[in-house]
PDB file of all heavy atoms in Angstrom:
ATOM      1  N   ILE A  94      10.302   8.777 -12.585  1.00 88.00           N
ATOM      2  CA  ILE A  94       9.524   9.366 -11.441  1.00 88.00           C
ATOM      3  C   ILE A  94       8.127   9.689 -11.809  1.00 88.00           C
ATOM      4  O   ILE A  94       7.224   9.518 -10.977  1.00 88.00           O
ATOM      5  CB  ILE A  94      10.280  10.629 -10.893  1.00 88.00           C
ATOM      6  CG1 ILE A  94       9.717  11.116  -9.544  1.00 88.00           C
ATOM      7  CG2 ILE A  94      10.245  11.796 -11.850  1.00 88.00           C
ATOM      8  CD1 ILE A  94      10.128  10.295  -8.402  1.00 88.00           C
ATOM      9  N   LYS A  95       7.875  10.088 -13.039  1.00 90.00           N
ATOM     10  CA  LYS A  95       6.438  10.445 -13.429  1.00 90.00           C
ATOM     11  C   LYS A  95       5.619   9.141 -13.443  1.00 90.00           C
ATOM     12  O   LYS A  95       4.469   9.113 -12.987  1.00 90.00           O
ATOM     13  CB  LYS A  95       6.450  11.088 -14.839  1.00 90.00           C
ATOM     14  CG  LYS A  95       6.968  12.535 -14.741  1.00 90.00           C
ATOM     15  CD  LYS A  95       6.941  13.132 -16.123  1.00 90.00           C
ATOM     16  CE  LYS A  95       7.522  14.513 -16.033  1.00 90.00           C
ATOM     17  NZ  LYS A  95       7.538  15.191 -17.360  1.00 90.00           N
ATOM     18  N   ARG A  96       6.158   8.042 -13.949  1.00 91.00           N
ATOM     19  CA  ARG A  96       5.408   6.829 -14.016  1.00 91.00           C
ATOM     20  C   ARG A  96       5.236   6.274 -12.580  1.00 91.00           C
ATOM     21  O   ARG A  96       4.200   5.678 -12.310  1.00 91.00           O
ATOM     22  CB  ARG A  96       6.081   5.768 -14.925  1.00 91.00           C
ATOM     23  CG  ARG A  96       5.958   6.133 -16.341  1.00 91.00           C
ATOM     24  CD  ARG A  96       6.499   5.093 -17.252  1.00 91.00           C
ATOM     25  NE  ARG A  96       6.328   5.566 -18.638  1.00 91.00           N
ATOM     26  CZ  ARG A  96       6.800   4.928 -19.686  1.00 91.00           C
ATOM     27  NH1 ARG A  96       7.451   3.815 -19.527  1.00 91.00           N
ATOM     28  NH2 ARG A  96       6.577   5.405 -20.919  1.00 91.00           N
ATOM     29  N   LEU A  97       6.221   6.436 -11.788  1.00 91.00           N
ATOM     30  CA  LEU A  97       6.154   5.985 -10.345  1.00 91.00           C
ATOM     31  C   LEU A  97       5.009   6.758  -9.689  1.00 91.00           C
ATOM     32  O   LEU A  97       4.197   6.134  -8.991  1.00 91.00           O
ATOM     33  CB  LEU A  97       7.460   6.216  -9.627  1.00 91.00           C
ATOM     34  CG  LEU A  97       7.557   5.828  -8.176  1.00 91.00           C
ATOM     35  CD1 LEU A  97       7.328   4.337  -8.032  1.00 91.00           C
ATOM     36  CD2 LEU A  97       8.857   6.285  -7.596  1.00 91.00           C
ATOM     37  N   ARG A  98       5.019   8.051  -9.843  1.00 91.00           N
ATOM     38  CA  ARG A  98       3.968   8.927  -9.195  1.00 91.00           C
ATOM     39  C   ARG A  98       2.587   8.468  -9.712  1.00 91.00           C
ATOM     40  O   ARG A  98       1.652   8.306  -8.905  1.00 91.00           O
ATOM     41  CB  ARG A  98       4.168  10.358  -9.531  1.00 91.00           C
ATOM     42  CG  ARG A  98       3.225  11.264  -8.813  1.00 91.00           C
ATOM     43  CD  ARG A  98       3.224  12.657  -9.326  1.00 91.00           C
ATOM     44  NE  ARG A  98       2.650  12.619 -10.681  1.00 91.00           N
ATOM     45  CZ  ARG A  98       3.027  13.393 -11.632  1.00 91.00           C
ATOM     46  NH1 ARG A  98       4.015  14.302 -11.500  1.00 91.00           N
ATOM     47  NH2 ARG A  98       2.542  13.323 -12.868  1.00 91.00           N
ATOM     48  N   SER A  99       2.432   8.286 -11.003  1.00 91.00           N
ATOM     49  CA  SER A  99       1.141   7.827 -11.521  1.00 91.00           C
ATOM     50  C   SER A  99       0.703   6.484 -10.986  1.00 91.00           C
ATOM     51  O   SER A  99      -0.457   6.283 -10.625  1.00 91.00           O
ATOM     52  CB  SER A  99       1.239   7.770 -13.035  1.00 91.00           C
ATOM     53  OG  SER A  99       0.095   7.311 -13.601  1.00 91.00           O
ATOM     54  N   SER A 100       1.641   5.570 -10.881  1.00 92.00           N
ATOM     55  CA  SER A 100       1.332   4.269 -10.372  1.00 92.00           C
ATOM     56  C   SER A 100       0.924   4.315  -8.886  1.00 92.00           C
ATOM     57  O   SER A 100       0.000   3.615  -8.464  1.00 92.00           O
ATOM     58  CB  SER A 100       2.610   3.390 -10.535  1.00 92.00           C
ATOM     59  OG  SER A 100       2.360   2.103  -9.988  1.00 92.00           O
ATOM     60  N   ILE A 101       1.628   5.091  -8.076  1.00 92.00           N
ATOM     61  CA  ILE A 101       1.289   5.261  -6.681  1.00 92.00           C
ATOM     62  C   ILE A 101      -0.086   5.852  -6.565  1.00 92.00           C
ATOM     63  O   ILE A 101      -0.928   5.356  -5.714  1.00 92.00           O
ATOM     64  CB  ILE A 101       2.352   6.114  -5.955  1.00 92.00           C
ATOM     65  CG1 ILE A 101       3.695   5.293  -5.861  1.00 92.00           C
ATOM     66  CG2 ILE A 101       1.884   6.489  -4.521  1.00 92.00           C
ATOM     67  CD1 ILE A 101       4.829   6.157  -5.485  1.00 92.00           C
ATOM     68  N   THR A 102      -0.358   6.887  -7.320  1.00 92.00           N
ATOM     69  CA  THR A 102      -1.719   7.502  -7.202  1.00 92.00           C
ATOM     70  C   THR A 102      -2.799   6.540  -7.528  1.00 92.00           C
ATOM     71  O   THR A 102      -3.877   6.457  -6.850  1.00 92.00           O
ATOM     72  CB  THR A 102      -1.718   8.716  -8.131  1.00 92.00           C
ATOM     73  OG1 THR A 102      -0.735   9.662  -7.815  1.00 92.00           O
ATOM     74  CG2 THR A 102      -3.087   9.439  -8.168  1.00 92.00           C
ATOM     75  N   SER A 103      -2.617   5.804  -8.630  1.00 92.00           N
ATOM     76  CA  SER A 103      -3.594   4.842  -9.041  1.00 92.00           C
ATOM     77  C   SER A 103      -3.800   3.718  -7.961  1.00 92.00           C
ATOM     78  O   SER A 103      -4.940   3.356  -7.618  1.00 92.00           O
ATOM     79  CB  SER A 103      -3.179   4.188 -10.351  1.00 92.00           C
ATOM     80  OG  SER A 103      -4.060   3.174 -10.746  1.00 92.00           O
ATOM     81  N   PHE A 104      -2.668   3.276  -7.419  1.00 93.00           N
ATOM     82  CA  PHE A 104      -2.770   2.248  -6.395  1.00 93.00           C
ATOM     83  C   PHE A 104      -3.537   2.753  -5.162  1.00 93.00           C
ATOM     84  O   PHE A 104      -4.297   2.042  -4.592  1.00 93.00           O
ATOM     85  CB  PHE A 104      -1.281   1.788  -6.020  1.00 93.00           C
ATOM     86  CG  PHE A 104      -1.306   0.726  -4.944  1.00 93.00           C
ATOM     87  CD1 PHE A 104      -1.540  -0.569  -5.290  1.00 93.00           C
ATOM     88  CD2 PHE A 104      -1.010   1.062  -3.626  1.00 93.00           C
ATOM     89  CE1 PHE A 104      -1.564  -1.542  -4.274  1.00 93.00           C
ATOM     90  CE2 PHE A 104      -1.030   0.101  -2.637  1.00 93.00           C
ATOM     91  CZ  PHE A 104      -1.294  -1.217  -2.942  1.00 93.00           C
ATOM     92  N   LEU A 105      -3.242   3.931  -4.753  1.00 92.00           N
ATOM     93  CA  LEU A 105      -3.844   4.485  -3.572  1.00 92.00           C
ATOM     94  C   LEU A 105      -5.308   4.698  -3.801  1.00 92.00           C
ATOM     95  O   LEU A 105      -6.153   4.547  -2.810  1.00 92.00           O
ATOM     96  CB  LEU A 105      -3.192   5.778  -3.139  1.00 92.00           C
ATOM     97  CG  LEU A 105      -1.771   5.608  -2.535  1.00 92.00           C
ATOM     98  CD1 LEU A 105      -1.155   6.967  -2.184  1.00 92.00           C
ATOM     99  CD2 LEU A 105      -1.824   4.695  -1.305  1.00 92.00           C
ATOM    100  N   ASP A 106      -5.722   5.044  -5.023  1.00 93.00           N
ATOM    101  CA  ASP A 106      -7.174   5.077  -5.352  1.00 93.00           C
ATOM    102  C   ASP A 106      -7.839   3.719  -5.085  1.00 93.00           C
ATOM    103  O   ASP A 106      -8.945   3.582  -4.524  1.00 93.00           O
ATOM    104  CB  ASP A 106      -7.411   5.466  -6.821  1.00 93.00           C
ATOM    105  CG  ASP A 106      -7.166   6.977  -7.024  1.00 93.00           C
ATOM    106  OD1 ASP A 106      -7.177   7.759  -6.046  1.00 93.00           O
ATOM    107  OD2 ASP A 106      -7.012   7.346  -8.210  1.00 93.00           O
ATOM    108  N   TYR A 107      -7.134   2.634  -5.498  1.00 93.00           N
ATOM    109  CA  TYR A 107      -7.689   1.258  -5.286  1.00 93.00           C
ATOM    110  C   TYR A 107      -7.687   0.945  -3.813  1.00 93.00           C
ATOM    111  O   TYR A 107      -8.609   0.245  -3.317  1.00 93.00           O
ATOM    112  CB  TYR A 107      -6.868   0.269  -6.062  1.00 93.00           C
ATOM    113  CG  TYR A 107      -7.166   0.233  -7.551  1.00 93.00           C
ATOM    114  CD1 TYR A 107      -6.080   0.426  -8.485  1.00 93.00           C
ATOM    115  CD2 TYR A 107      -8.465   0.108  -8.083  1.00 93.00           C
ATOM    116  CE1 TYR A 107      -6.398   0.417  -9.840  1.00 93.00           C
ATOM    117  CE2 TYR A 107      -8.701   0.067  -9.397  1.00 93.00           C
ATOM    118  CZ  TYR A 107      -7.664   0.279 -10.311  1.00 93.00           C
ATOM    119  OH  TYR A 107      -7.921   0.337 -11.668  1.00 93.00           O
ATOM    120  N   VAL A 108      -6.660   1.349  -3.070  1.00 93.00           N
ATOM    121  CA  VAL A 108      -6.659   1.130  -1.617  1.00 93.00           C
ATOM    122  C   VAL A 108      -7.840   1.731  -0.978  1.00 93.00           C
ATOM    123  O   VAL A 108      -8.498   1.139  -0.162  1.00 93.00           O
ATOM    124  CB  VAL A 108      -5.333   1.610  -1.011  1.00 93.00           C
ATOM    125  CG1 VAL A 108      -5.391   1.596   0.555  1.00 93.00           C
ATOM    126  CG2 VAL A 108      -4.130   0.781  -1.531  1.00 93.00           C
ATOM    127  N   ILE A 109      -8.158   2.977  -1.354  1.00 93.00           N
ATOM    128  CA  ILE A 109      -9.260   3.709  -0.775  1.00 93.00           C
ATOM    129  C   ILE A 109     -10.542   2.944  -1.088  1.00 93.00           C
ATOM    130  O   ILE A 109     -11.405   2.774  -0.174  1.00 93.00           O
ATOM    131  CB  ILE A 109      -9.326   5.129  -1.311  1.00 93.00           C
ATOM    132  CG1 ILE A 109      -8.207   5.942  -0.706  1.00 93.00           C
ATOM    133  CG2 ILE A 109     -10.705   5.821  -0.980  1.00 93.00           C
ATOM    134  CD1 ILE A 109      -7.937   7.293  -1.348  1.00 93.00           C
ATOM    135  N   LEU A 110     -10.695   2.441  -2.303  1.00 93.00           N
ATOM    136  CA  LEU A 110     -11.870   1.713  -2.664  1.00 93.00           C
ATOM    137  C   LEU A 110     -12.013   0.399  -1.783  1.00 93.00           C
ATOM    138  O   LEU A 110     -13.089   0.086  -1.311  1.00 93.00           O
ATOM    139  CB  LEU A 110     -11.840   1.351  -4.149  1.00 93.00           C
ATOM    140  CG  LEU A 110     -12.961   0.503  -4.706  1.00 93.00           C
ATOM    141  CD1 LEU A 110     -14.257   1.272  -4.549  1.00 93.00           C
ATOM    142  CD2 LEU A 110     -12.700   0.115  -6.172  1.00 93.00           C
ATOM    143  N   VAL A 111     -10.906  -0.326  -1.636  1.00 93.00           N
ATOM    144  CA  VAL A 111     -10.845  -1.526  -0.835  1.00 93.00           C
ATOM    145  C   VAL A 111     -11.287  -1.241   0.615  1.00 93.00           C
ATOM    146  O   VAL A 111     -12.081  -1.915   1.210  1.00 93.00           O
ATOM    147  CB  VAL A 111      -9.545  -2.268  -0.936  1.00 93.00           C
ATOM    148  CG1 VAL A 111      -9.425  -3.401   0.116  1.00 93.00           C
ATOM    149  CG2 VAL A 111      -9.368  -2.829  -2.341  1.00 93.00           C
ATOM    150  N   VAL A 112     -10.645  -0.180   1.192  1.00 91.00           N
ATOM    151  CA  VAL A 112     -10.909   0.189   2.594  1.00 91.00           C
ATOM    152  C   VAL A 112     -12.430   0.571   2.738  1.00 91.00           C
ATOM    153  O   VAL A 112     -13.030   0.130   3.681  1.00 91.00           O
ATOM    154  CB  VAL A 112      -9.960   1.304   3.031  1.00 91.00           C
ATOM    155  CG1 VAL A 112     -10.439   1.899   4.388  1.00 91.00           C
ATOM    156  CG2 VAL A 112      -8.521   0.805   3.125  1.00 91.00           C
ATOM    157  N   ASN A 113     -12.877   1.351   1.801  1.00 92.00           N
ATOM    158  CA  ASN A 113     -14.354   1.764   1.879  1.00 92.00           C
ATOM    159  C   ASN A 113     -15.233   0.507   1.771  1.00 92.00           C
ATOM    160  O   ASN A 113     -16.221   0.408   2.483  1.00 92.00           O
ATOM    161  CB  ASN A 113     -14.714   2.758   0.804  1.00 92.00           C
ATOM    162  CG  ASN A 113     -14.059   4.146   1.100  1.00 92.00           C
ATOM    163  OD1 ASN A 113     -13.727   4.415   2.247  1.00 92.00           O
ATOM    164  ND2 ASN A 113     -13.944   4.908   0.099  1.00 92.00           N
ATOM    165  N   THR A 114     -14.909  -0.413   0.909  1.00 91.00           N
ATOM    166  CA  THR A 114     -15.733  -1.623   0.752  1.00 91.00           C
ATOM    167  C   THR A 114     -15.677  -2.496   2.016  1.00 91.00           C
ATOM    168  O   THR A 114     -16.647  -2.993   2.532  1.00 91.00           O
ATOM    169  CB  THR A 114     -15.213  -2.483  -0.423  1.00 91.00           C
ATOM    170  OG1 THR A 114     -15.310  -1.626  -1.629  1.00 91.00           O
ATOM    171  CG2 THR A 114     -16.045  -3.686  -0.621  1.00 91.00           C
ATOM    172  N   LEU A 115     -14.458  -2.641   2.638  1.00 90.00           N
ATOM    173  CA  LEU A 115     -14.328  -3.356   3.878  1.00 90.00           C
ATOM    174  C   LEU A 115     -15.130  -2.726   4.990  1.00 90.00           C
ATOM    175  O   LEU A 115     -15.755  -3.402   5.772  1.00 90.00           O
ATOM    176  CB  LEU A 115     -12.802  -3.480   4.313  1.00 90.00           C
ATOM    177  CG  LEU A 115     -11.923  -4.473   3.536  1.00 90.00           C
ATOM    178  CD1 LEU A 115     -10.506  -4.241   3.933  1.00 90.00           C
ATOM    179  CD2 LEU A 115     -12.432  -5.845   3.986  1.00 90.00           C
ATOM    180  N   ASN A 116     -15.055  -1.439   5.063  1.00 88.00           N
ATOM    181  CA  ASN A 116     -15.849  -0.686   6.095  1.00 88.00           C
ATOM    182  C   ASN A 116     -17.323  -0.840   5.932  1.00 88.00           C
ATOM    183  O   ASN A 116     -18.084  -0.954   6.901  1.00 88.00           O
ATOM    184  CB  ASN A 116     -15.470   0.793   6.098  1.00 88.00           C
ATOM    185  CG  ASN A 116     -14.167   1.074   6.712  1.00 88.00           C
ATOM    186  OD1 ASN A 116     -13.578   0.269   7.440  1.00 88.00           O
ATOM    187  ND2 ASN A 116     -13.561   2.156   6.295  1.00 88.00           N
ATOM    188  N   LYS A 117     -17.801  -0.913   4.667  1.00 87.00           N
ATOM    189  CA  LYS A 117     -19.245  -1.100   4.480  1.00 87.00           C
ATOM    190  C   LYS A 117     -19.763  -2.521   4.562  1.00 87.00           C
ATOM    191  O   LYS A 117     -20.764  -2.750   5.180  1.00 87.00           O
ATOM    192  CB  LYS A 117     -19.601  -0.476   3.134  1.00 87.00           C
ATOM    193  CG  LYS A 117     -21.052  -0.530   2.798  1.00 87.00           C
ATOM    194  CD  LYS A 117     -21.384   0.578   1.808  1.00 87.00           C
ATOM    195  CE  LYS A 117     -22.818   0.574   1.581  1.00 87.00           C
ATOM    196  NZ  LYS A 117     -23.553   1.596   2.239  1.00 87.00           N
ATOM    197  N   PHE A 118     -19.027  -3.472   4.024  1.00 83.00           N
ATOM    198  CA  PHE A 118     -19.485  -4.800   3.871  1.00 83.00           C
ATOM    199  C   PHE A 118     -18.818  -5.884   4.634  1.00 83.00           C
ATOM    200  O   PHE A 118     -19.329  -6.971   4.849  1.00 83.00           O
ATOM    201  CB  PHE A 118     -19.479  -5.243   2.350  1.00 83.00           C
ATOM    202  CG  PHE A 118     -20.336  -4.396   1.466  1.00 83.00           C
ATOM    203  CD1 PHE A 118     -19.763  -3.491   0.645  1.00 83.00           C
ATOM    204  CD2 PHE A 118     -21.738  -4.446   1.647  1.00 83.00           C
ATOM    205  CE1 PHE A 118     -20.582  -2.683  -0.181  1.00 83.00           C
ATOM    206  CE2 PHE A 118     -22.556  -3.614   0.807  1.00 83.00           C
ATOM    207  CZ  PHE A 118     -21.929  -2.731  -0.096  1.00 83.00           C
ATOM    208  N   GLY A 119     -17.567  -5.658   5.042  1.00 69.00           N
ATOM    209  CA  GLY A 119     -16.798  -6.796   5.646  1.00 69.00           C
ATOM    210  C   GLY A 119     -16.068  -6.354   6.911  1.00 69.00           C
ATOM    211  O   GLY A 119     -14.878  -6.278   6.935  1.00 69.00           O
ATOM    212  N   PRO A 120     -16.856  -6.089   7.979  1.00 58.00           N
ATOM    213  CA  PRO A 120     -16.158  -5.748   9.283  1.00 58.00           C
ATOM    214  C   PRO A 120     -15.288  -6.844   9.717  1.00 58.00           C
ATOM    215  O   PRO A 120     -15.661  -8.068   9.674  1.00 58.00           O
ATOM    216  CB  PRO A 120     -17.331  -5.472  10.232  1.00 58.00           C
ATOM    217  CG  PRO A 120     -18.436  -6.232   9.681  1.00 58.00           C
ATOM    218  CD  PRO A 120     -18.274  -6.242   8.140  1.00 58.00           C
ATOM    219  N   SER A 121     -14.131  -6.484  10.269  1.00 58.00           N
ATOM    220  CA  SER A 121     -13.220  -7.545  10.768  1.00 58.00           C
ATOM    221  C   SER A 121     -13.754  -8.023  12.092  1.00 58.00           C
ATOM    222  O   SER A 121     -14.593  -7.403  12.688  1.00 58.00           O
ATOM    223  CB  SER A 121     -11.820  -6.887  10.980  1.00 58.00           C
ATOM    224  OG  SER A 121     -11.832  -6.001  12.040  1.00 58.00           O
ATOM    225  N   SER A 122     -13.124  -9.106  12.542  1.00 50.00           N
ATOM    226  CA  SER A 122     -13.540  -9.657  13.861  1.00 50.00           C
ATOM    227  C   SER A 122     -13.222  -8.711  15.039  1.00 50.00           C
ATOM    228  O   SER A 122     -13.979  -8.624  15.983  1.00 50.00           O
ATOM    229  CB  SER A 122     -12.836 -10.966  14.100  1.00 50.00           C
ATOM    230  OG  SER A 122     -11.414 -10.822  14.044  1.00 50.00           O
ATOM    231  N   ASN A 123     -12.200  -7.862  14.812  1.00 51.00           N
ATOM    232  CA  ASN A 123     -11.871  -6.834  15.876  1.00 51.00           C
ATOM    233  C   ASN A 123     -13.000  -5.818  15.951  1.00 51.00           C
ATOM    234  O   ASN A 123     -13.355  -5.418  17.056  1.00 51.00           O
ATOM    235  CB  ASN A 123     -10.570  -6.113  15.584  1.00 51.00           C
ATOM    236  CG  ASN A 123      -9.394  -6.983  15.830  1.00 51.00           C
ATOM    237  OD1 ASN A 123      -9.510  -8.099  16.455  1.00 51.00           O
ATOM    238  ND2 ASN A 123      -8.225  -6.563  15.460  1.00 51.00           N
ATOM    239  N   LYS A 124     -13.517  -5.376  14.868  1.00 51.00           N
ATOM    240  CA  LYS A 124     -14.577  -4.384  14.911  1.00 51.00           C
ATOM    241  C   LYS A 124     -15.840  -4.975  15.443  1.00 51.00           C
ATOM    242  O   LYS A 124     -16.583  -4.289  16.160  1.00 51.00           O
ATOM    243  CB  LYS A 124     -14.837  -3.860  13.471  1.00 51.00           C
ATOM    244  CG  LYS A 124     -13.782  -2.843  13.012  1.00 51.00           C
ATOM    245  CD  LYS A 124     -14.203  -2.154  11.730  1.00 51.00           C
ATOM    246  CE  LYS A 124     -13.703  -2.948  10.589  1.00 51.00           C
ATOM    247  NZ  LYS A 124     -14.049  -2.329   9.269  1.00 51.00           N
TER     248      LYS A 124
END
Side-chain angles (χ1 to χ4, degrees):
I94 190 79
K95 289 180 183 179
R96 289 186 180 175
L97 179 65
R98 184 194 69 215
S99 176
S100 179
I101 292 167
T102 301
S103 176
F104 179 79
L105 290 175
D106 285 342
Y107 286 124
V108 168
I109 290 168
L110 179 63
V111 168
V112 168
N113 288 340
T114 303
L115 281 169
N116 286 337
K117 185 157 181 99
F118 299 108
S121 71
S122 57
N123 285 352
K124 286 191 269 182

